[in-house]
Amino acid sequence: MSITMDTTLASLVTNKRRVSALKSLGIVTVGDALTYYPFRVTEPVPLRAIREAAPGQQMAFAAVIRDMRVVPMNARRGYRLEATVDDADFARSRRVPGSTARLTFFSYRKSYVDWVSMRLRAGTSVVVSGMPSEYMGQLQFTHPEILTVAPGSAGTGAGLEGYARGAASGNGAFAGSTDPYASAQSAYPPAAAAPSGAALKYDADTVQEALTRVCRPRPVYHASSRISSEHIHETILGLLWMMGARTSSTPDGQLAGAGSADIVAPTTDTIAVQNGEEKSGTTAESGAEALSQSIPDVLPESVRKAKNLMHRAEAFLAIHDPASTARFKEAIETLRYEEAFVSQTSLLKARSHAHKSAAHSCPLVTDSLRDQFIASLPFSLTAGQQQVIHDIAADLAHDWPMQRLLQGEVGSGKTVVALAAMLQAVDAGYQAVLVAPTQVLAEQHAETIGRMVEQLKPAIPVTLLTGGMKLAARRKALAAAASGEPGIIVATHAAFSKTFQASHLALVVIDEQHRFGVEQRESLNAKTDDGTTPHLLVMTATPIPRTAAMTWFGDLDISWLTELPGGRKPIRTVVVNEADAATMGRMFAHIRARVDAGERAYIVCPRIDADDEENEGGSGVSSAAGSARGRAAASGSSARTAAGGRATRAAADAIGIDDPYETFDENGETVARPPLHAVAEIADRLQRLPQFQGIRFATLTGRDKDDVKTQVMADFAGGETPILVSTTVIEVGVDVKQASCIVIFDADRYGLSQLHQLRGRVGRGGTNSWAFLISRAEPGSPAEQRLEVIHHSLDGAEIAQADLEFRGAGDVLGDAQSGGKSSLKLLRVVKDADMIADARTRAEQLLAADPELAGEVQLAGAVLDFTRGNETFLTSS
């Protein structure tokens, strides 16, 4: 069986529980496993004899079990196992006297104690790695790592001598070691015979092998309650062995060589070893060659040599089985550059492809509808709006498709700019489509646009098309679109359905583009009957640092709206500790006062029901984002903690929080946090407070049907239910001018950009406005520091920059949050700006010589995978 990056783990890993645990982390194929990168690597463990031990300092040594006993703990349930070890031979090799120490294990499980007892029988040779302490005047190691050594080779002394030569060669973890092994003579007695019928397995064949394994730097992975970092590492090493790796990556850049440490062959208990692939059947040299064949390089050979980078196969090996921390960092840099090169090649190809397509030219005409519309506005456009409208007008006049990203703060006037562009297309005799992510927002856009164009001559038809419409109205809207009559169509995801046809479509405007994938946008390109590609304007209120946007959206022209229209007052942001009952009470009293003054208040919670872990799919996630986020997870992150426990990534990503910040312990396991607040729970609690007596509440979640959402928002805007408790379904586009207060529960668990987006829901009517961020963050914690950023800043770009620094560009700008498989796992868009610029330059040179990448088959495949895998170019933030 030939193993490739696409081979499923289910066909290789015999332990089905492990397969399931890995799947919960998004690891389904060999490629997923190899790109599940460790978040840190341990420092090499120093070799010390027992007499050289220093309490609290990690160390490793070889010894023999002198005696062992199991003691029941009468005062408490469970057992204590104590083994005495003697390092006389090992200490002699270090020219110090031998000594003894105690190894101590505690467990409630008799089966575990029996297993350890069988391994630590008197006379067994072991290698110990752990942190020494002192107990009752004797040196003690509590729960150390133990590797048992097979008795045949340990008694010859060759193990220590061989290890001495390995250390002296400067191989990785032991470079600079002064351990003089060459004169060592073994005094290890043979281990006692195993009990009759017992199949005792040893962890290593020689002392050298065992010492190498425990002392080398070790990668640590984000783990979960279902699988440990150690088991993740074991699985990945087993896969590398099956693909041909027999030795670790060596400092001289070769996949195998003198002084390398062997990768231990996986047992059939872990990996389904194929016939003919036993450990003795493959040499190191042929194994290295096999690994390179199983994992072909993606980067062009010329680029890799010019940048002095590793082969891809070698980089994987150096990450998952590093010979040194320096080697690990070198491998990370190699794969980081690979990501930069693939992403930039993909963006450049997309841009080139767009410029080769034909589009309807929409030049400005005399006394245009666009100019009539601008003159009719009751306010003056900002300088930024005027400039962007001018740029778009020039783009629409071309006979190739415009591809422009319009980024602007909440309330900066993006809709006015988009409407001016659509009127230019209509004036030229074509149709324009505005696609919104929710029915509520689509209806709001249709009403606003209809009101804005009603005075224009000639009259402009505005057609609304949503999935929630009644059949007769829907058929009428579809017929209007199919007629080709010039006009504006406002639609939801219904615009992506096969039944939607617009025969004279010239312009597509996508609002909040992170809600739609590349494939959906491509489906609109196919809506024209004449083979032309519509002009494309995508808009987002999600703030992105300028350098990051120019890097990531390399296939789009980018415009920024940085000025806010007149009349907008700054929003006052207050961080409230939930445990501070007095401040919480004053906050609720303030909200009641604003409601009594005729204003409205949002209360935002991340979940729908407190008692249902599986209900999050309908919380503050639109149908598009929800479907994307419900897919299998990836991107090198563990199962996220969603309801106070450890839940799967897919479930956690479906809640209203765009990126629940995780806390990991030193072993990479997620740390449980308090349950997230739920809409139903908070609505019930608040209605019982004396501050809200006589006030009607409403609730709104992504699970509600579209007609219910429309009615709830109408009642909220009209004042019948002046307090709305909702999930983040209100995050995008909801415009209620009377809303002056927003309370966000569990604010410490949101991304900063999403908090900024939610905060923009208030203050849209020119009144004083407040945002209250309710937090349970510990004082001085990173979560508290994040909230301080949003507390002191209203600058979206500044907030986005801080968000990138706190959680990494891959989370903010890649596809990680949508639950899909992101091709970006290592690249940091801001910090690696110079690397990305270099990759872009080299990619331009490559594409100039080979536009279709005919000579770079592996790169062409990686570019295709990147485009498919990153279909939400900007995620909800």
Side-chain angles (χ1 to χ4, degrees):
M1 175 181 177
S2 177
I3 300 175
T4 68
M5 298 287 278
D6 295 323
T7 303
T8 61
L9 294 189
S11 65
L12 298 175
V13 179
T14 55
N15 186 330
K16 299 310 175 188
R17 294 181 64 181
R18 183 173 295 189
V19 171
S20 176
L22 291 168
K23 186 177 180 179
S24 72
L25 300 181
I27 304 173
V28 178
T29 67
V30 171
D32 295 334
L34 296 185
T35 56
Y36 192 85
Y37 302 118
F39 68 94
R40 69 180 176 91
V41 64
T42 64
E43 290 297 325
V45 178
L47 293 172
R48 291 181 183 142
I50 293 175
R51 283 190 180 273
E52 298 172 306
Q57 296 183 14
Q58 194 84 6
M59 61 176 283
F61 61 95
V64 176
I65 303 294
R66 177 182 289 178
D67 58 61
M68 183 271 299
R69 65 173 183 156
V70 176
V71 182
M73 295 187 291
N74 296 326
R76 297 178 294 168
R77 289 189 306 110
Y79 305 87
R80 182 178 75 251
L81 184 149
E82 295 179 348
T84 304
V85 293
D86 184 344
D87 74 337
D89 190 57
F90 179 79
R92 189 180 307 115
S93 73
R94 295 185 61 83
R95 296 190 176 92
V96 297
S99 188
T100 62
R102 181 191 298 123
L103 312 181
T104 305
F105 300 84
F106 299 93
S107 181
Y108 293 118
R109 294 178 10 236
K110 185 67 165 58
S111 58
Y112 172 78
V113 173
D114 290 343
W115 176 74
V116 176
S117 300
M118 184 176 69
R119 301 181 74 225
L120 303 186
R121 301 185 322 277
T124 301
S125 299
V126 293
V127 166
V128 180
S129 174
M131 190 89 71
S133 60
E134 191 173 332
Y135 179 70
M136 297 183 66
Q138 185 174 6
L139 200 67
Q140 174 175 283
F141 292 82
T142 304
H143 285 275
E145 179 181 1
I146 301 288
L147 293 185
T148 58
V149 180
S153 61
T156 65
L160 290 179
E161 291 182 15
Y163 187 75
R165 289 192 293 274
S169 70
N171 183 24
F174 312 107
S177 173
T178 57
D179 304 320
Y181 284 97
S183 62
Q185 296 297 320
S186 176
Y188 294 147
S196 177
L200 188 60
K201 295 179 180 178
Y202 293 95
D203 299 314
D205 292 335
T206 65
V207 174
Q208 174 189 353
E209 177 187 321
L211 286 170
T212 301
R213 285 170 57 186
V214 302
C215 291
R216 287 167 61 81
R218 196 168 319 177
V220 182
Y221 303 82
H222 285 318
S224 72
S225 60
R226 298 180 61 187
I227 186 167
S228 67
S229 172
E230 192 66 33
H231 283 157
I232 295 172
H233 187 215
E234 177 187 68
T235 302
I236 294 174
L237 288 184
L239 294 173
L240 287 169
W241 192 94
M242 286 291 291
M243 297 178 82
R246 295 298 183 267
T247 60
S248 63
S249 173
T250 61
D252 62 2
Q254 302 302 313
L255 285 171
S260 298
D262 287 343
I263 292 181
V264 179
T267 66
T268 53
D269 295 337
T270 306
I271 300 289
V273 179
Q274 305 300 313
N275 292 334
E277 294 191 10
E278 287 75 14
K279 185 176 180 182
S280 60
T282 309
T283 66
E285 290 73 15
S286 63
E289 183 180 347
L291 185 63
S292 299
Q293 292 172 352
S294 300
I295 309 175
D297 215 346
V298 169
L299 288 174
E301 182 74 9
S302 59
V303 173
R304 186 168 70 83
K305 287 184 176 179
K307 298 293 295 181
N308 195 26
L309 301 173
M310 296 181 180
H311 187 282
R312 192 175 200 227
E314 184 188 357
F316 281 136
L317 197 53
I319 286 174
H320 297 295
D321 189 35
S324 66
T325 52
R327 193 71 176 152
F328 174 84
K329 292 175 182 177
E330 186 182 344
I332 289 290
E333 285 301 296
T334 291
L335 294 180
R336 185 172 282 147
Y337 189 89
E338 179 188 289
E339 289 185 358
F341 195 87
V342 170
S343 65
Q344 293 308 301
T345 304
S346 176
L347 294 172
L348 289 168
K349 277 183 66 67
R351 191 180 186 93
S352 172
H353 177 74
H355 283 181
K356 293 178 181 177
S357 303
H360 292 298
S361 175
C362 303
L364 274 175
V365 297
T366 305
D367 191 28
S368 66
L369 289 170
R370 190 202 74 168
D371 293 340
Q372 288 183 49
F373 161 66
I374 293 174
S376 70
L377 291 172
F379 52 83
S380 299
L381 296 178
T382 66
Q385 286 175 311
Q386 293 177 29
Q387 181 61 49
V388 174
I389 288 174
H390 174 76
D391 292 342
I392 291 175
D395 288 346
L396 291 176
H398 294 146
D399 58 2
W400 66 82
M402 170 182 72
Q403 287 192 294
R404 184 171 290 276
L405 170 68
L406 175 58
Q407 178 182 323
E409 290 279 359
V410 173
S412 60
K414 296 186 298 296
T415 303
V416 170
V417 172
L419 181 52
M422 289 189 286
L423 288 174
Q424 184 172 336
V426 172
D427 226 356
Y430 299 109
Q431 296 167 298
V433 174
L434 170 62
V435 187
T438 66
Q439 177 165 325
V440 170
L441 185 54
E443 291 171 346
Q444 186 173 292
H445 275 316
E447 180 184 350
T448 301
I449 291 171
R451 192 168 58 248
M452 286 180 158
V453 303
E454 62 185 357
Q455 302 299 327
L456 302 183
K457 301 297 181 183
I460 307 298
V462 179
T463 304
L464 176 66
L465 176 63
T466 71
M469 296 173 70
K470 292 185 177 179
L471 184 59
R474 181 178 171 82
R475 284 178 174 172
K476 184 178 179 181
L478 288 171
S483 70
E485 179 187 6
I488 294 172
I489 303 163
V490 181
T492 57
H493 293 76
F496 302 120
S497 69
K498 293 180 180 179
T499 57
F500 175 75
Q501 295 294 330
S503 55
H504 288 88
L505 182 60
L507 173 64
V508 175
V509 180
I510 295 183
D511 192 14
E512 293 304 328
Q513 80 128 358
H514 60 268
R515 305 284 177 159
F516 307 103
V518 168
E519 292 173 1
Q520 290 175 308
R521 298 202 297 267
E522 288 296 326
S523 73
L524 280 174
N525 287 343
K527 297 299 181 184
T528 55
D529 296 332
D530 52 12
T532 59
T533 299
H535 298 282
L536 177 66
L537 175 66
V538 291
M539 305 190 298
T540 179
T542 304
I544 320 165
R546 186 174 294 256
T547 54
M550 293 177 70
T551 297
W552 187 242
F553 299 102
D555 59 331
L556 303 176
D557 296 309
I558 306 174
S559 298
W560 279 269
L561 289 178
T562 56
E563 305 168 70
L564 292 182
R568 293 291 301 269
K569 295 183 179 180
I571 302 168
R572 305 175 196 178
T573 305
V574 183
V575 179
V576 181
N577 189 318
E578 190 173 345
D580 186 350
T583 303
M584 293 283 287
R586 289 195 300 272
M587 177 188 72
F588 291 135
H590 172 81
I591 293 173
R592 174 59 188 261
R594 303 321 306 163
V595 168
D596 288 343
E599 296 168 10
R600 314 282 185 268
Y602 296 105
I603 312 289
V604 179
C605 305
R607 302 183 68 216
I608 298 177
D609 299 322
D611 58 350
D612 181 5
E613 284 194 17
E614 297 302 321
N615 68 15
E616 293 98 332
S619 65
V621 182
S622 71
S623 56
S627 64
R629 296 182 187 191
R631 290 175 289 170
S635 86
S637 180
S638 74
R640 301 195 175 208
T641 306
R646 295 180 175 92
T648 64
R649 170 74 172 270
D653 273 342
I655 63 178
I657 289 179
D658 72 330
D659 185 20
Y661 285 100
E662 296 170 281
T663 303
F664 298 102
D665 61 22
E666 62 180 10
N667 292 320
E669 293 200 20
T670 51
V671 176
R673 295 175 295 180
L676 295 168
H677 287 298
V679 168
E681 164 215 351
I682 292 298
D684 182 62
R685 282 172 51 186
L686 296 187
Q687 290 180 84
R688 298 183 186 185
L689 293 177
Q691 292 95 326
F692 297 122
Q693 291 301 307
I695 297 293
R696 291 187 61 195
F697 281 66
T699 62
L700 182 67
T701 72
R703 187 188 293 167
D704 295 327
K705 294 182 178 179
D706 286 336
D707 56 343
V708 174
K709 292 179 184 176
T710 302
Q711 187 60 51
V712 168
M713 289 307 302
D715 291 345
F716 177 63
E720 292 182 40
T721 52
I723 298 181
L724 178 63
V725 185
S726 78
T727 58
T728 54
V729 71
I730 65 152
E731 174 186 355
V732 175
V734 174
D735 190 1
V736 178
K737 297 188 183 303
Q738 301 90 338
S740 64
C741 295
I742 184 168
V743 179
I744 305 173
F745 280 91
D746 295 304
D748 52 303
R749 306 274 285 274
Y750 287 78
L752 295 184
S753 294
Q754 191 180 28
L755 286 175
H756 182 62
Q757 181 95 333
L758 287 167
R759 180 170 60 180
R761 295 304 104 204
V762 298
R764 303 172 75 86
T767 60
N768 291 323
S769 53
W770 294 262
F772 299 97
L773 310 181
I774 312 303
S775 167
R776 288 181 282 186
E778 295 291 330
S781 65
E784 186 182 61
Q785 295 170 23
R786 288 195 299 270
L787 292 182
E788 282 303 303
V789 173
I790 202 84
H791 177 206
H792 293 294
S793 178
L794 293 171
D795 186 329
E798 178 183 327
I799 290 167
Q801 179 69 44
D803 213 5
L804 283 173
E805 293 171 357
F806 274 120
R807 59 177 175 159
D811 289 333
V812 179
L813 299 176
D815 195 37
Q817 296 170 64
S818 73
K821 294 183 179 181
S822 172
S823 299
L824 286 188
K825 299 181 181 180
L826 298 172
L827 193 65
R828 303 160 303 185
V829 173
V830 175
K831 293 181 179 179
D832 295 328
D834 291 343
M835 176 187 290
I836 294 170
D838 180 89
R840 190 175 184 86
T841 300
R842 295 179 187 276
E844 287 173 341
Q845 295 170 353
L846 176 67
L847 289 173
D850 185 3
E852 300 303 320
L853 299 178
E856 300 291 344
V857 178
Q858 295 300 326
L859 177 61
V863 166
L864 183 61
D865 289 343
F866 176 87
T867 304
R868 290 172 175 169
N870 290 275
E871 39 185 51
T872 51
F873 273 61
L874 175 63
T875 55
S876 177
S877 298

